[in-house]
Amino acid sequence: MTSRPAKPGSISLALQGGGSHGAFEWGVIERLLEEDGLEIGAVTAASAGAMNAAALASGLATGGREGARDTLAKFWRAVNNADGRNGTLFGDSSVWSSMLQPDWLKATPAWRWAESLGASMSPYEFNPFNLNPMREVLEKTVDLAAIRDHCPIALFIAATGVRTGKVKIFGREELTVDHLLASACLPTLFHAVEIDGEPYWDGGYLANPPIWPLVYADTPDDVLVVTLNPFVREEAPKSPGEIMDRLNEITFNAALSAELRAVAFVQKLLDEGMLQETARGRYRRLRVHAITADRHLRDLSMASKFTTDWAFLTGLRDRGRKAADAWLAENLAAVGARSTVDLKAEFL
């Protein structure tokens, strides 16, 4: 194995959204923070990725690396407790959930009818007071003032403009709870989040996560993309649930695929001498790395993105730690030297 350099350098993290599957990113970040000499210089994120980015930034601003690990753990524990049971009334309900919602039941006409009925109602109807437990979770665990005033890393948080149909990027200096809730606002569950008179939905629809802000900002050239939605499935879906799961994955990967395709095209033109590379300008060479859901989360369904049992969340964290450990062992030496993802082969 190639020996690891003492100071491999800095990376930008690109964190995808995916509900409670974001706990996988918790594990990835936790493991990266333990690697001496590897610095996180920027985070670009959407939805659940934005929550992890905020917890990371808050912890770094108030307590360094150890503070970041503690804040991430507190955030995900608060997510687990947000149902009001504090995870103790019936203990860990993951066993009961699997018993009451088996795959055969979800495939029945009655179950599909109930899902259709639920989908026919607007959150403005079934949630008229716009209750969102994530607001309290963020207010309790993330220090937004510290992020704005003392955070040592750059942040780029994506949201989707409802009226404009355009992506909106919020930076560290302006970040509030509303910006984070906007980035994770699923329109089937919550009212659009209004900021400065503009309504916003989940950033994952148009940028999941956004890559282009890294091209123009003073951020590390190495970008580690962490995905929560598999790009590839070996078998075509056939049941209604499988079809909806796959459609969801394709939809939330589309923006990232398009951005990586653009990065690959620019790098191809740079390689062929048709463009001139600039340090922080229009044409910049990014070194791209990835920890993907294809290898580590493909056994999970879309429905599990709403599961917040502590055993499930910590299991995802452990998967993330294991994935990051494998990535470090295989690819850390490439940081600062070369990409470990063949963008031309994957996206051109």
Side-chain angles (χ1 to χ4, degrees):
M1 294 179 62
T2 304
S3 60
R4 298 183 181 182
K7 295 182 179 180
S10 299
I11 60 172
S12 296
L13 282 180
L15 303 177
Q16 196 174 56
S20 63
H21 291 187
F24 175 79
E25 294 172 339
W26 166 26
V28 169
I29 298 169
E30 185 178 78
R31 177 61 186 89
L32 294 178
L33 289 169
E34 296 170 0
E35 192 68 23
D36 292 336
L38 182 65
E39 300 289 339
I40 299 173
V43 184
T44 184
S47 199
M51 304 298 177
N52 281 318
L56 168 65
S58 174
L60 288 174
T62 56
R65 293 187 179 218
E66 189 60 35
R69 289 192 289 269
D70 288 345
T71 303
L72 280 162
K74 289 176 181 176
F75 169 80
W76 284 103
R77 188 45 142 170
V79 169
N80 162 247
N81 292 340
D83 60 2
R85 297 185 296 105
N86 293 322
T88 60
L89 183 59
F90 298 109
D92 189 331
S93 65
S94 57
V95 174
W96 297 102
S97 297
S98 62
M99 289 175 62
L100 297 174
Q101 300 180 21
D103 291 339
W104 67 264
L105 178 60
K106 295 178 182 179
T108 62
W111 183 275
R112 296 201 295 270
W113 176 83
E115 285 186 320
S116 298
L117 179 62
S120 68
M121 297 181 65
S122 160
Y124 295 87
E125 296 170 332
F126 67 75
N127 186 10
F129 298 106
N130 197 27
L131 301 177
N132 188 339
M134 285 306 302
R135 180 177 293 277
E136 184 177 359
V137 168
L138 289 167
E139 290 174 345
K140 284 183 176 181
T141 60
V142 176
D143 190 335
L144 274 299
I147 292 176
R148 293 190 296 267
D149 298 336
H150 307 296
C151 179
I153 64 175
L155 290 181
F156 306 96
I157 304 301
T160 297
V162 178
R163 287 201 287 249
T164 65
K166 296 180 180 179
V167 64
K168 176 70 174 180
I169 303 297
F170 300 112
R172 178 190 65 205
E173 297 79 5
E174 62 182 324
L175 204 62
T176 67
V177 169
D178 280 342
H179 293 105
L180 294 171
L181 292 178
S183 183
C185 178
L186 290 173
T188 55
L189 297 179
F190 304 109
H191 300 194
V193 179
E194 193 166 302
I195 299 173
D196 296 330
E198 285 295 324
Y200 292 98
W201 284 340
D202 195 299
Y205 292 113
L206 294 179
N208 197 22
I211 302 297
W212 60 266
L214 300 175
V215 175
Y216 302 101
D218 186 12
T219 56
D221 293 326
D222 289 85
V223 182
L224 175 57
V225 181
V226 184
T227 68
L228 301 179
N229 302 297
F231 280 92
V232 177
R233 290 283 186 183
E234 295 300 326
E235 297 183 1
K238 294 182 174 61
S239 71
E242 291 172 345
I243 291 171
M244 290 305 300
D245 280 6
R246 188 55 183 152
L247 182 60
N248 176 272
E249 291 171 349
I250 291 172
T251 299
F252 280 101
N253 279 335
L256 178 59
S257 294
E259 288 210 60
L260 292 177
R261 186 179 300 112
V263 171
F265 183 65
V266 169
Q267 308 220 91
K268 178 177 182 291
L269 295 179
L270 289 171
D271 291 340
E272 295 175 354
M274 300 179 69
L275 292 178
Q276 184 176 359
E277 186 173 356
T278 56
R280 293 292 183 270
R282 295 174 61 191
Y283 308 116
R284 179 181 175 191
R285 189 183 299 276
L286 297 177
R287 293 183 289 269
V288 181
H289 316 275
I291 297 175
T292 67
D294 296 67
R295 294 180 59 185
H296 306 288
L297 300 177
R298 66 170 60 201
D299 60 310
L300 301 178
S301 69
M302 184 177 69
S304 65
K305 291 181 179 180
F306 297 96
T307 301
T308 59
D309 293 297
W310 188 237
F312 180 73
L313 296 178
T314 54
L316 286 173
R317 177 204 59 195
D318 294 344
R319 291 194 196 198
R321 287 187 57 88
K322 184 178 179 180
D325 198 55
W327 181 84
L328 288 166
E330 296 173 10
N331 301 302
L332 184 59
V335 173
R338 58 181 174 81
S339 293
T340 54
V341 174
D342 189 343
L343 292 178
K344 294 179 183 178
E346 295 290 336
F347 298 100
L348 287 184

